[in-house]
Structures are given as structure tokens and as C-alpha cells.
Amino acid sequence: MTRRPRELRQDERNCSTNRLDLSTPLNLLTGSIIKAALEVHRALGGPGLLESVYEDALASELTLAGHRVRRQQEVRINYKGRPLTGHFKLDLLVEDRVLVECKATTVHQEIFRSQTLTYLRLCNLEVGLLINFGAALLRHGIHRIVNTPQDASARSVSGTYINTSNSPESPSPCDAQFL
């Protein structure tokens, strides 16, 4: 008895046009970050260490790979053109293009994804990686989060990087200015 192949659904037919092009610079960069995270997890193990330990090791691994990494980059929140007194810190900002949010918990919570997406929107970045080093298998702890483009004129909230170093740096491609 031969089986007739089933009819493909519309989303399956369009799948080839929706595939991720792994050769683009941004995807090559995220791939390099994931490779570094896998090396850190392999070397240090997980779960068991503090988030800051994994973050430091990942920053070191990325620097060894030749990437420019900013660790604990402060971002001031601007609301309707006015800076708020509060700010937040990005765990890692790689090549001023990819935000990396590190976690070290055995339970993944959806709020982590929401937090990362909020940071992406405030910084006007396209891609972020949420990496939970507390996962027994790191591949289960890696989440790629994409910020869909928005009309910047319609946004009333944004972020501005705070230059915490003594060295002058140029503005990042994410349209933020150092103070």
C-alpha cells in the first residue's frame, strides 16, 4: 500500500522564503556569540554559578574571539524627550549591534523574554540573545529575540547610553548618544 504525500499547509509552502539567511553579518555575529556561550557553558558547567560569573566569562570569550564587548552598559531612559532619573544596565552589548541578556536560573520565565525585548526597543537594536546558563543543556537556554521595526516618530520612549568610561567613543549604530 503506497501513501499519497499530504498536501502542504500554506505556512509550510512559504517556509523556504522565510528561512533565516545565516550569511548576513548580524546572523554571523549572533552565531559567534552562541558559539562563545557554548564554550563558556562547556568549560564552567551549569547550573550552579552566579549570573555575573557566566557574564564575565562570556565577555572574556567574546573578546578573545575579537569582538568589541561592552559589559554592564548603562542606558538612561528618555520619556517623551525627557530623561528619567532611572536607568538600566545591559549585561553585554556586542559590536554595538547585539544585546546579550545573561541568566543563570534553572527555570526559564517568560518575563526574561519580555525584558530583553523591552531593552531592544529602548536601545533601537534589532536582535538580542537571551542566554540562560542555568539550563542543563545550554541549547535549551538560548533564545534569539528580534525587535520588529517601528516608526521612530511614533515612539515616546527611548534609551540613551551613558558613557561610563574615560575614553571618548563614537555613537553606536543604534542611534544612541553617549553622555
Side-chain angles (χ1 to χ4, degrees):
M1 176 174 155
T2 59
R3 295 183 91 175
R4 200 176 89 194
R6 71 177 175 83
E7 181 85 18
L8 293 176
R9 295 186 322 250
Q10 182 66 33
D11 61 331
E12 291 174 321
R13 280 184 247 136
N14 293 336
C15 185
S16 63
T17 61
N18 293 331
R19 285 208 174 129
L20 187 63
D21 182 2
L22 298 177
S23 65
T24 64
L26 190 56
N27 290 332
L28 290 172
L29 178 57
T30 57
S32 180
I33 296 167
I34 291 169
K35 180 179 176 184
L38 290 168
E39 175 58 25
V40 167
H41 196 262
R42 185 197 62 74
L44 296 178
L49 298 173
L50 294 174
E51 176 183 313
S52 59
V53 174
Y54 292 112
E55 179 186 313
D56 190 26
L58 181 56
S60 295
E61 190 68 31
L62 290 168
T63 302
L64 287 172
H67 295 295
R68 188 178 63 225
V69 179
R70 296 181 197 206
R71 186 167 179 227
Q72 291 298 311
Q73 175 66 57
E74 291 184 352
V75 180
R76 180 174 294 139
I77 301 169
N78 299 310
Y79 179 75
K80 295 187 177 181
R82 295 180 162 200
L84 300 179
T85 56
H87 65 273
F88 61 93
K89 293 182 180 182
L90 304 176
D91 286 349
L92 299 174
L93 183 61
V94 183
E95 300 291 349
D96 291 331
R97 299 201 60 204
V98 178
L99 177 145
V100 179
E101 183 65 25
C102 297
K103 299 295 180 192
T105 178
T106 55
V107 179
H108 174 76
Q109 297 179 14
E110 194 57 35
I111 192 71
F112 300 155
R113 184 182 297 270
S114 298
Q115 174 191 20
T116 305
L117 184 56
T118 297
Y119 289 177
L120 287 172
R121 288 182 178 150
L122 289 173
C123 294
N124 196 26
L125 293 170
E126 186 179 346
V127 175
L129 291 173
L130 171 58
I131 303 175
N132 183 4
F133 288 97
L137 292 174
L138 189 60
R139 67 180 173 173
H140 296 148
I142 297 174
H143 305 272
R144 187 176 194 271
I145 300 165
V146 178
N147 179 22
T148 55
Q150 296 177 348
D151 180 10
S153 63
R155 293 183 47 196
S156 60
V157 180
S158 65
T160 306
Y161 297 135
I162 301 170
N163 189 359
T164 55
S165 69
N166 293 329
S167 63
E169 298 191 38
S170 60
S172 74
C174 65
D175 210 19
Q177 297 176 3
F178 290 97
L179 301 178

